[in-house]
Tab-separated table of all heavy atoms in Angstrom:
chain	number	residue	atom	x	y	z
A	1	MET	N	-34.907	-1.075	25.010
A	1	MET	CA	-34.030	-0.529	26.010
A	1	MET	C	-34.779	0.366	26.982
A	1	MET	O	-34.527	0.307	28.178
A	1	MET	CB	-32.889	0.256	25.358
A	1	MET	CG	-31.884	-0.612	24.645
A	1	MET	SD	-30.362	0.198	24.064
A	1	MET	CE	-30.811	1.830	23.620
A	2	LEU	N	-35.676	1.207	26.466
A	2	LEU	CA	-36.431	2.100	27.338
A	2	LEU	C	-37.316	1.299	28.283
A	2	LEU	O	-37.333	1.559	29.490
A	2	LEU	CB	-37.273	3.085	26.511
A	2	LEU	CG	-38.165	4.030	27.304
A	2	LEU	CD1	-37.347	4.882	28.270
A	2	LEU	CD2	-38.968	4.916	26.363
A	3	THR	N	-38.001	0.312	27.749
A	3	THR	CA	-38.881	-0.515	28.587
A	3	THR	C	-38.077	-1.233	29.661
A	3	THR	O	-38.498	-1.272	30.827
A	3	THR	CB	-39.652	-1.537	27.724
A	3	THR	OG1	-40.405	-0.830	26.738
A	3	THR	CG2	-40.581	-2.371	28.561
A	4	GLU	N	-36.934	-1.755	29.296
A	4	GLU	CA	-36.087	-2.448	30.265
A	4	GLU	C	-35.653	-1.497	31.389
A	4	GLU	O	-35.692	-1.852	32.571
A	4	GLU	CB	-34.854	-3.012	29.562
A	4	GLU	CG	-33.905	-3.740	30.488
A	4	GLU	CD	-32.621	-4.201	29.796
A	4	GLU	OE1	-32.271	-3.657	28.729
A	4	GLU	OE2	-31.978	-5.095	30.354
A	5	ALA	N	-35.275	-0.277	31.032
A	5	ALA	CA	-34.843	0.702	32.029
A	5	ALA	C	-36.005	1.117	32.931
A	5	ALA	O	-35.842	1.250	34.147
A	5	ALA	CB	-34.234	1.915	31.342
A	6	GLU	N	-37.188	1.309	32.343
A	6	GLU	CA	-38.350	1.680	33.145
A	6	GLU	C	-38.753	0.550	34.091
A	6	GLU	O	-39.135	0.803	35.242
A	6	GLU	CB	-39.518	2.084	32.236
A	6	GLU	CG	-39.265	3.408	31.544
A	6	GLU	CD	-40.326	3.779	30.531
A	6	GLU	OE1	-40.952	2.880	29.932
A	6	GLU	OE2	-40.516	4.977	30.326
A	7	GLN	N	-38.650	-0.685	33.634
A	7	GLN	CA	-38.947	-1.821	34.508
A	7	GLN	C	-37.934	-1.920	35.640
A	7	GLN	O	-38.281	-2.231	36.775
A	7	GLN	CB	-38.978	-3.120	33.706
A	7	GLN	CG	-40.180	-3.233	32.799
A	7	GLN	CD	-40.112	-4.421	31.857
A	7	GLN	OE1	-39.054	-5.011	31.647
A	7	GLN	NE2	-41.248	-4.757	31.258
A	8	ALA	N	-36.679	-1.622	35.344
A	8	ALA	CA	-35.640	-1.635	36.376
A	8	ALA	C	-35.900	-0.550	37.410
A	8	ALA	O	-35.765	-0.779	38.619
A	8	ALA	CB	-34.270	-1.440	35.735
A	9	LEU	N	-36.301	0.626	36.962
A	9	LEU	CA	-36.632	1.711	37.884
A	9	LEU	C	-37.787	1.303	38.787
A	9	LEU	O	-37.745	1.508	40.003
A	9	LEU	CB	-36.976	2.985	37.106
A	9	LEU	CG	-37.422	4.177	37.941
A	9	LEU	CD1	-36.322	4.608	38.914
A	9	LEU	CD2	-37.832	5.336	37.040
A	10	HIS	N	-38.804	0.706	38.198
A	10	HIS	CA	-39.950	0.246	38.985
A	10	HIS	C	-39.508	-0.779	40.034
A	10	HIS	O	-39.925	-0.702	41.189
A	10	HIS	CB	-41.017	-0.347	38.075
A	10	HIS	CG	-42.185	-0.898	38.818
A	10	HIS	ND1	-43.103	-0.096	39.465
A	10	HIS	CD2	-42.575	-2.173	39.042
A	10	HIS	CE1	-44.008	-0.856	40.051
A	10	HIS	NE2	-43.703	-2.119	39.806
A	11	ALA	N	-38.660	-1.700	39.642
A	11	ALA	CA	-38.173	-2.722	40.579
A	11	ALA	C	-37.445	-2.071	41.757
A	11	ALA	O	-37.640	-2.477	42.914
A	11	ALA	CB	-37.256	-3.710	39.865
A	12	LEU	N	-36.640	-1.056	41.493
A	12	LEU	CA	-35.956	-0.353	42.578
A	12	LEU	C	-36.956	0.382	43.468
A	12	LEU	O	-36.818	0.400	44.691
A	12	LEU	CB	-34.931	0.641	42.024
A	12	LEU	CG	-33.660	0.049	41.438
A	12	LEU	CD1	-32.824	1.140	40.782
A	12	LEU	CD2	-32.856	-0.687	42.491
A	13	GLN	N	-37.971	0.959	42.855
A	13	GLN	CA	-38.961	1.715	43.613
A	13	GLN	C	-39.784	0.825	44.538
A	13	GLN	O	-40.260	1.286	45.571
A	13	GLN	CB	-39.886	2.490	42.670
A	13	GLN	CG	-39.171	3.642	41.991
A	13	GLN	CD	-40.017	4.312	40.935
A	13	GLN	OE1	-40.816	3.674	40.249
A	13	GLN	NE2	-39.840	5.614	40.787
A	14	ILE	N	-39.953	-0.437	44.169
A	14	ILE	CA	-40.751	-1.324	45.024
A	14	ILE	C	-39.889	-2.169	45.953
A	14	ILE	O	-40.383	-3.082	46.599
A	14	ILE	CB	-41.717	-2.211	44.206
A	14	ILE	CG1	-40.973	-3.125	43.256
A	14	ILE	CG2	-42.741	-1.347	43.473
A	14	ILE	CD1	-41.860	-4.165	42.588
A	15	GLY	N	-38.581	-1.847	46.011
A	15	GLY	CA	-37.762	-2.464	47.026
A	15	GLY	C	-36.633	-3.378	46.593
A	15	GLY	O	-35.867	-3.843	47.425
A	16	LYS	N	-36.513	-3.658	45.311
A	16	LYS	CA	-35.390	-4.498	44.878
A	16	LYS	C	-34.097	-3.732	45.111
A	16	LYS	O	-34.023	-2.532	44.878
A	16	LYS	CB	-35.538	-4.879	43.407
A	16	LYS	CG	-34.565	-5.943	42.980
A	16	LYS	CD	-34.985	-6.597	41.692
A	16	LYS	CE	-33.992	-7.721	41.392
A	16	LYS	NZ	-34.262	-8.344	40.128
A	17	ARG	N	-33.082	-4.411	45.593
A	17	ARG	CA	-31.841	-3.730	45.974
A	17	ARG	C	-30.952	-3.389	44.792
A	17	ARG	O	-30.365	-2.318	44.741
A	17	ARG	CB	-31.067	-4.587	46.969
A	17	ARG	CG	-31.772	-4.720	48.280
A	17	ARG	CD	-30.934	-5.541	49.241
A	17	ARG	NE	-31.637	-5.749	50.479
A	17	ARG	CZ	-31.454	-5.012	51.556
A	17	ARG	NH1	-30.608	-4.028	51.544
A	17	ARG	NH2	-32.147	-5.270	52.655
A	18	ILE	N	-30.816	-4.302	43.848
A	18	ILE	CA	-29.950	-4.082	42.687
A	18	ILE	C	-30.662	-4.581	41.431
A	18	ILE	O	-31.271	-5.645	41.445
A	18	ILE	CB	-28.600	-4.825	42.844
A	18	ILE	CG1	-27.825	-4.257	44.031
A	18	ILE	CG2	-27.770	-4.730	41.569
A	18	ILE	CD1	-26.525	-4.977	44.318
A	19	VAL	N	-30.574	-3.797	40.364
A	19	VAL	CA	-31.112	-4.200	39.069
A	19	VAL	C	-30.002	-4.083	38.037
A	19	VAL	O	-29.048	-3.328	38.216
A	19	VAL	CB	-32.329	-3.348	38.647
A	19	VAL	CG1	-33.500	-3.571	39.586
A	19	VAL	CG2	-31.976	-1.882	38.580
A	20	SER	N	-30.132	-4.821	36.973
A	20	SER	CA	-29.127	-4.824	35.917
A	20	SER	C	-29.836	-4.639	34.576
A	20	SER	O	-30.852	-5.280	34.319
A	20	SER	CB	-28.364	-6.151	35.948
A	20	SER	OG	-27.392	-6.178	34.949
A	21	ILE	N	-29.299	-3.741	33.740
A	21	ILE	CA	-29.859	-3.530	32.408
A	21	ILE	C	-28.735	-3.539	31.386
A	21	ILE	O	-27.568	-3.353	31.730
A	21	ILE	CB	-30.649	-2.203	32.305
A	21	ILE	CG1	-29.733	-0.995	32.512
A	21	ILE	CG2	-31.810	-2.173	33.278
A	21	ILE	CD1	-30.378	0.329	32.166
A	22	SER	N	-29.093	-3.730	30.121
A	22	SER	CA	-28.126	-3.643	29.023
A	22	SER	C	-28.059	-2.195	28.569
A	22	SER	O	-29.084	-1.586	28.261
A	22	SER	CB	-28.562	-4.506	27.851
A	22	SER	OG	-28.590	-5.852	28.220
A	23	LYS	N	-26.849	-1.635	28.557
A	23	LYS	CA	-26.666	-0.244	28.146
A	23	LYS	C	-25.426	-0.173	27.272
A	23	LYS	O	-24.330	-0.506	27.713
A	23	LYS	CB	-26.497	0.635	29.389
A	23	LYS	CG	-26.326	2.102	29.101
A	23	LYS	CD	-26.198	2.879	30.395
A	23	LYS	CE	-25.928	4.336	30.118
A	23	LYS	NZ	-25.739	5.091	31.367
A	24	ASP	N	-25.609	0.228	26.036
A	24	ASP	CA	-24.504	0.341	25.088
A	24	ASP	C	-23.723	-0.969	24.954
A	24	ASP	O	-22.491	-0.974	24.935
A	24	ASP	CB	-23.564	1.484	25.490
A	24	ASP	CG	-24.268	2.835	25.526
A	24	ASP	OD1	-25.167	3.048	24.684
A	24	ASP	OD2	-23.926	3.658	26.390
A	25	GLY	N	-24.410	-2.080	24.924
A	25	GLY	CA	-23.780	-3.372	24.722
A	25	GLY	C	-23.126	-3.989	25.948
A	25	GLY	O	-22.400	-4.968	25.835
A	26	ARG	N	-23.366	-3.413	27.105
A	26	ARG	CA	-22.797	-3.993	28.330
A	26	ARG	C	-23.840	-3.979	29.438
A	26	ARG	O	-24.828	-3.268	29.351
A	26	ARG	CB	-21.542	-3.242	28.770
A	26	ARG	CG	-21.758	-1.765	28.983
A	26	ARG	CD	-20.434	-1.032	29.176
A	26	ARG	NE	-20.643	0.398	29.157
A	26	ARG	CZ	-20.890	1.149	30.225
A	26	ARG	NH1	-20.951	0.602	31.416
A	26	ARG	NH2	-21.063	2.432	30.111
A	27	GLN	N	-23.622	-4.787	30.447
A	27	GLN	CA	-24.533	-4.859	31.591
A	27	GLN	C	-24.148	-3.783	32.603
A	27	GLN	O	-22.980	-3.645	32.962
A	27	GLN	CB	-24.456	-6.223	32.265
A	27	GLN	CG	-25.126	-7.328	31.468
A	27	GLN	CD	-26.618	-7.140	31.353
A	27	GLN	OE1	-27.117	-6.901	30.264
A	27	GLN	NE2	-27.332	-7.236	32.453
A	28	VAL	N	-25.136	-3.020	33.039
A	28	VAL	CA	-24.916	-1.964	34.025
A	28	VAL	C	-25.852	-2.227	35.197
A	28	VAL	O	-27.024	-2.529	35.003
A	28	VAL	CB	-25.201	-0.566	33.421
A	28	VAL	CG1	-25.005	0.524	34.451
A	28	VAL	CG2	-24.344	-0.327	32.198
A	29	GLN	N	-25.316	-2.105	36.402
A	29	GLN	CA	-26.132	-2.321	37.594
A	29	GLN	C	-26.470	-0.984	38.241
A	29	GLN	O	-25.642	-0.064	38.275
A	29	GLN	CB	-25.387	-3.195	38.604
A	29	GLN	CG	-25.271	-4.634	38.171
A	29	GLN	CD	-24.683	-5.510	39.268
A	29	GLN	OE1	-23.972	-5.037	40.140
A	29	GLN	NE2	-24.991	-6.783	39.207
A	30	TYR	N	-27.686	-0.906	38.754
A	30	TYR	CA	-28.150	0.264	39.492
A	30	TYR	C	-28.677	-0.211	40.837
A	30	TYR	O	-29.208	-1.313	40.956
A	30	TYR	CB	-29.271	0.985	38.726
A	30	TYR	CG	-28.816	1.639	37.446
A	30	TYR	CD1	-28.951	0.988	36.230
A	30	TYR	CD2	-28.253	2.908	37.452
A	30	TYR	CE1	-28.537	1.579	35.053
A	30	TYR	CE2	-27.827	3.508	36.275
A	30	TYR	CZ	-27.976	2.847	35.091
A	30	TYR	OH	-27.563	3.434	33.921
A	31	SER	N	-28.540	0.647	41.811
A	31	SER	CA	-29.039	0.349	43.156
A	31	SER	C	-29.857	1.544	43.637
A	31	SER	O	-29.993	2.549	42.929
A	31	SER	CB	-27.871	0.102	44.114
A	31	SER	OG	-27.140	1.304	44.293
A	32	GLN	N	-30.367	1.459	44.856
A	32	GLN	CA	-31.101	2.583	45.426
A	32	GLN	C	-30.227	3.841	45.428
A	32	GLN	O	-30.718	4.932	45.188
A	32	GLN	CB	-31.539	2.249	46.860
A	32	GLN	CG	-32.598	1.171	46.953
A	32	GLN	CD	-33.934	1.627	46.419
A	32	GLN	OE1	-34.294	2.783	46.503
A	32	GLN	NE2	-34.694	0.696	45.867
A	33	ALA	N	-28.942	3.681	45.677
A	33	ALA	CA	-28.026	4.827	45.739
A	33	ALA	C	-27.830	5.491	44.379
A	33	ALA	O	-27.505	6.676	44.309
A	33	ALA	CB	-26.689	4.391	46.314
A	34	SER	N	-28.024	4.758	43.292
A	34	SER	CA	-27.792	5.320	41.955
A	34	SER	C	-29.089	5.471	41.159
A	34	SER	O	-29.055	5.586	39.935
A	34	SER	CB	-26.795	4.445	41.184
A	34	SER	OG	-27.296	3.137	41.028
A	35	ILE	N	-30.216	5.514	41.858
A	35	ILE	CA	-31.515	5.598	41.182
A	35	ILE	C	-31.629	6.881	40.349
A	35	ILE	O	-32.232	6.881	39.276
A	35	ILE	CB	-32.678	5.448	42.184
A	35	ILE	CG1	-33.967	5.061	41.456
A	35	ILE	CG2	-32.864	6.685	43.029
A	35	ILE	CD1	-35.073	4.606	42.382
A	36	SER	N	-30.998	7.974	40.794
A	36	SER	CA	-31.062	9.223	40.024
A	36	SER	C	-30.344	9.074	38.686
A	36	SER	O	-30.766	9.663	37.684
A	36	SER	CB	-30.490	10.388	40.826
A	36	SER	OG	-29.144	10.164	41.119
A	37	GLU	N	-29.269	8.294	38.640
A	37	GLU	CA	-28.568	8.041	37.378
A	37	GLU	C	-29.454	7.267	36.410
A	37	GLU	O	-29.460	7.535	35.208
A	37	GLU	CB	-27.280	7.267	37.631
A	37	GLU	CG	-26.239	8.042	38.404
A	37	GLU	CD	-25.034	7.198	38.761
A	37	GLU	OE1	-24.763	6.193	38.063
A	37	GLU	OE2	-24.357	7.541	39.738
A	38	LEU	N	-30.208	6.298	36.928
A	38	LEU	CA	-31.128	5.526	36.091
A	38	LEU	C	-32.236	6.424	35.572
A	38	LEU	O	-32.604	6.362	34.393
A	38	LEU	CB	-31.701	4.345	36.869
A	38	LEU	CG	-32.702	3.465	36.134
A	38	LEU	CD1	-32.123	2.910	34.835
A	38	LEU	CD2	-33.165	2.325	37.040
A	39	ARG	N	-32.769	7.304	36.407
A	39	ARG	CA	-33.809	8.244	35.957
A	39	ARG	C	-33.265	9.151	34.847
A	39	ARG	O	-33.958	9.433	33.870
A	39	ARG	CB	-34.309	9.075	37.130
A	39	ARG	CG	-35.221	8.332	38.047
A	39	ARG	CD	-35.807	9.259	39.089
A	39	ARG	NE	-36.779	8.562	39.900
A	39	ARG	CZ	-36.740	8.495	41.213
A	39	ARG	NH1	-35.781	9.093	41.886
A	39	ARG	NH2	-37.673	7.839	41.871
A	40	PHE	N	-32.034	9.630	35.003
A	40	PHE	CA	-31.409	10.480	33.990
A	40	PHE	C	-31.267	9.721	32.672
A	40	PHE	O	-31.556	10.251	31.600
A	40	PHE	CB	-30.048	10.979	34.491
A	40	PHE	CG	-29.366	11.912	33.531
A	40	PHE	CD1	-29.775	13.226	33.412
A	40	PHE	CD2	-28.320	11.461	32.738
A	40	PHE	CE1	-29.147	14.086	32.512
A	40	PHE	CE2	-27.685	12.310	31.841
A	40	PHE	CZ	-28.106	13.637	31.729
A	41	TYR	N	-30.829	8.469	32.738
A	41	TYR	CA	-30.682	7.625	31.545
A	41	TYR	C	-32.035	7.451	30.849
A	41	TYR	O	-32.130	7.576	29.623
A	41	TYR	CB	-30.084	6.278	31.940
A	41	TYR	CG	-29.975	5.285	30.814
A	41	TYR	CD1	-29.214	5.549	29.683
A	41	TYR	CD2	-30.629	4.054	30.891
A	41	TYR	CE1	-29.112	4.628	28.648
A	41	TYR	CE2	-30.530	3.130	29.858
A	41	TYR	CZ	-29.779	3.422	28.747
A	41	TYR	OH	-29.684	2.509	27.726
A	42	ILE	N	-33.087	7.213	31.621
A	42	ILE	CA	-34.436	7.068	31.049
A	42	ILE	C	-34.857	8.364	30.374
A	42	ILE	O	-35.383	8.358	29.255
A	42	ILE	CB	-35.442	6.638	32.133
A	42	ILE	CG1	-35.160	5.197	32.569
A	42	ILE	CG2	-36.885	6.793	31.645
A	42	ILE	CD1	-35.936	4.743	33.789
A	43	ASP	N	-34.635	9.505	31.040
A	43	ASP	CA	-34.989	10.798	30.452
A	43	ASP	C	-34.234	11.046	29.144
A	43	ASP	O	-34.804	11.562	28.186
A	43	ASP	CB	-34.717	11.935	31.434
A	43	ASP	CG	-35.729	11.987	32.580
A	43	ASP	OD1	-36.783	11.322	32.478
A	43	ASP	OD2	-35.450	12.688	33.563
A	44	GLU	N	-32.959	10.678	29.096
A	44	GLU	CA	-32.171	10.832	27.867
A	44	GLU	C	-32.765	10.007	26.725
A	44	GLU	O	-32.876	10.485	25.603
A	44	GLU	CB	-30.729	10.381	28.092
A	44	GLU	CG	-29.858	11.354	28.827
A	44	GLU	CD	-28.428	10.850	28.932
A	44	GLU	OE1	-28.219	9.643	29.155
A	44	GLU	OE2	-27.521	11.684	28.782
A	45	MET	N	-33.132	8.766	27.023
A	45	MET	CA	-33.708	7.903	25.981
A	45	MET	C	-35.050	8.441	25.517
A	45	MET	O	-35.336	8.456	24.319
A	45	MET	CB	-33.866	6.469	26.500
A	45	MET	CG	-32.576	5.701	26.531
A	45	MET	SD	-32.819	3.932	26.767
A	45	MET	CE	-33.498	3.896	28.407
A	46	ARG	N	-35.893	8.872	26.451
A	46	ARG	CA	-37.202	9.401	26.083
A	46	ARG	C	-37.043	10.632	25.181
A	46	ARG	O	-37.744	10.775	24.187
A	46	ARG	CB	-38.028	9.719	27.326
A	46	ARG	CG	-38.446	8.473	28.088
A	46	ARG	CD	-39.295	8.789	29.309
A	46	ARG	NE	-40.588	9.352	28.954
A	46	ARG	CZ	-41.635	8.652	28.526
A	46	ARG	NH1	-41.536	7.342	28.431
A	46	ARG	NH2	-42.769	9.232	28.218
A	47	THR	N	-36.113	11.519	25.529
A	47	THR	CA	-35.873	12.715	24.731
A	47	THR	C	-35.380	12.341	23.332
A	47	THR	O	-35.839	12.898	22.336
A	47	THR	CB	-34.853	13.633	25.431
A	47	THR	OG1	-35.378	14.010	26.710
A	47	THR	CG2	-34.577	14.880	24.615
A	48	ALA	N	-34.468	11.382	23.257
A	48	ALA	CA	-33.946	10.941	21.959
A	48	ALA	C	-35.039	10.341	21.082
A	48	ALA	O	-34.979	10.437	19.854
A	48	ALA	CB	-32.830	9.923	22.162
A	49	LEU	N	-36.045	9.741	21.708
A	49	LEU	CA	-37.153	9.140	20.963
A	49	LEU	C	-38.278	10.138	20.687
A	49	LEU	O	-39.292	9.786	20.098
A	49	LEU	CB	-37.718	7.942	21.744
A	49	LEU	CG	-36.777	6.745	21.875
A	49	LEU	CD1	-37.352	5.730	22.866
A	49	LEU	CD2	-36.557	6.103	20.519
A	50	GLY	N	-38.107	11.376	21.148
A	50	GLY	CA	-39.130	12.388	20.927
A	50	GLY	C	-40.294	12.287	21.889
A	50	GLY	O	-41.354	12.856	21.638
A	51	LEU	N	-40.096	11.578	22.975
A	51	LEU	CA	-41.132	11.429	23.996
A	51	LEU	C	-40.889	12.443	25.097
A	51	LEU	O	-39.759	12.855	25.331
A	51	LEU	CB	-41.097	10.011	24.586
A	51	LEU	CG	-41.297	8.871	23.598
A	51	LEU	CD1	-41.013	7.537	24.272
A	51	LEU	CD2	-42.715	8.905	23.054
A	52	PRO	N	-41.946	12.828	25.799
A	52	PRO	CA	-41.721	13.765	26.912
A	52	PRO	C	-40.916	13.092	28.013
A	52	PRO	O	-41.073	11.906	28.273
A	52	PRO	CB	-43.134	14.111	27.389
A	52	PRO	CG	-43.999	13.005	26.900
A	52	PRO	CD	-43.348	12.460	25.655
A	53	ALA	N	-40.043	13.862	28.625
A	53	ALA	CA	-39.277	13.347	29.766
A	53	ALA	C	-40.224	13.180	30.943
A	53	ALA	O	-41.402	13.529	30.877
A	53	ALA	CB	-38.141	14.299	30.092
A	54	ARG	N	-39.695	12.661	32.003
A	54	ARG	CA	-40.454	12.428	33.230
A	54	ARG	C	-41.225	13.690	33.620
A	54	ARG	O	-40.707	14.788	33.580
A	54	ARG	CB	-39.428	12.042	34.291
A	54	ARG	CG	-39.890	11.643	35.579
A	54	ARG	CD	-38.728	11.076	36.400
A	54	ARG	NE	-37.433	11.690	36.154
A	54	ARG	CZ	-36.834	12.482	37.013
A	54	ARG	NH1	-37.376	12.773	38.146
A	54	ARG	NH2	-35.649	12.965	36.731
A	55	ARG	N	-42.453	13.497	34.050
A	55	ARG	CA	-43.260	14.625	34.502
A	55	ARG	C	-42.877	14.993	35.919
A	55	ARG	O	-42.678	14.132	36.763
A	55	ARG	CB	-44.743	14.276	34.439
A	55	ARG	CG	-45.256	14.123	33.023
A	55	ARG	CD	-46.703	13.762	32.980
A	55	ARG	NE	-47.490	14.759	33.687
A	55	ARG	CZ	-48.754	14.571	34.059
A	55	ARG	NH1	-49.339	13.434	33.814
A	55	ARG	NH2	-49.415	15.503	34.674
A	56	LEU	N	-42.817	16.281	36.169
A	56	LEU	CA	-42.528	16.758	37.510
A	56	LEU	C	-43.834	16.910	38.278
A	56	LEU	O	-44.884	17.172	37.685
A	56	LEU	CB	-41.794	18.101	37.439
A	56	LEU	CG	-40.446	18.080	36.730
A	56	LEU	CD1	-39.899	19.504	36.627
A	56	LEU	CD2	-39.471	17.193	37.477
A	57	PRO	N	-43.799	16.782	39.586
A	57	PRO	CA	-45.022	16.978	40.369
A	57	PRO	C	-45.473	18.431	40.288
A	57	PRO	O	-44.667	19.305	39.964
A	57	PRO	CB	-44.595	16.593	41.789
A	57	PRO	CG	-43.124	16.715	41.806
A	57	PRO	CD	-42.661	16.463	40.400
A	58	PRO	N	-46.742	18.695	40.591
A	58	PRO	CA	-47.236	20.072	40.552
A	58	PRO	C	-46.411	20.969	41.458
A	58	PRO	O	-45.980	20.576	42.533
A	58	PRO	CB	-48.672	19.959	41.062
A	58	PRO	CG	-49.029	18.525	40.917
A	58	PRO	CD	-47.750	17.745	40.983
A	59	ALA	N	-46.205	22.185	41.015
A	59	ALA	CA	-45.397	23.124	41.767
A	59	ALA	C	-46.133	23.662	42.988
A	59	ALA	O	-45.527	24.187	43.903
A	59	ALA	CB	-44.970	24.274	40.862
A	60	GLY	N	-47.446	23.562	43.004
A	60	GLY	CA	-48.213	24.076	44.138
A	60	GLY	C	-48.757	25.466	43.833
A	60	GLY	O	-48.489	26.071	42.805
A	61	VAL	N	-49.485	25.960	44.774
A	61	VAL	CA	-50.122	27.271	44.626
A	61	VAL	C	-49.284	28.308	45.355
A	61	VAL	O	-48.885	28.108	46.492
A	61	VAL	CB	-51.561	27.254	45.205
A	61	VAL	CG1	-52.196	28.631	45.118
A	61	VAL	CG2	-52.391	26.222	44.484
A	62	ARG	N	-49.019	29.387	44.677
A	62	ARG	CA	-48.292	30.486	45.300
A	62	ARG	C	-49.219	31.680	45.412
A	62	ARG	O	-49.887	32.041	44.466
A	62	ARG	CB	-47.062	30.856	44.471
A	62	ARG	CG	-46.064	29.757	44.419
A	62	ARG	CD	-44.862	30.189	43.653
A	62	ARG	NE	-43.975	29.046	43.493
A	62	ARG	CZ	-42.725	29.142	43.169
A	62	ARG	NH1	-42.198	30.316	42.961
A	62	ARG	NH2	-41.977	28.063	43.046
A	63	LEU	N	-49.225	32.265	46.549
A	63	LEU	CA	-50.076	33.451	46.774
A	63	LEU	C	-49.247	34.695	46.874
A	63	LEU	O	-48.158	34.749	47.243
A	63	LEU	CB	-50.892	33.275	48.060
A	63	LEU	CG	-51.831	32.043	48.050
A	63	LEU	CD1	-52.469	31.891	49.403
A	63	LEU	CD2	-52.888	32.227	46.980
């Protein structure tokens, strides 16, 4: 399930308009407009598996 969701996210990131994954025994579609929901779902699965969630970009240097 995690691999399928990550592949779907990648497909959206490279320009595919709609992707479909199996979630809780049903097909769920995601689009560019709902990409944040897919990222949240991936983070939830990673956390449940004891894996680190998505890495955030560097915060930058503050002076």
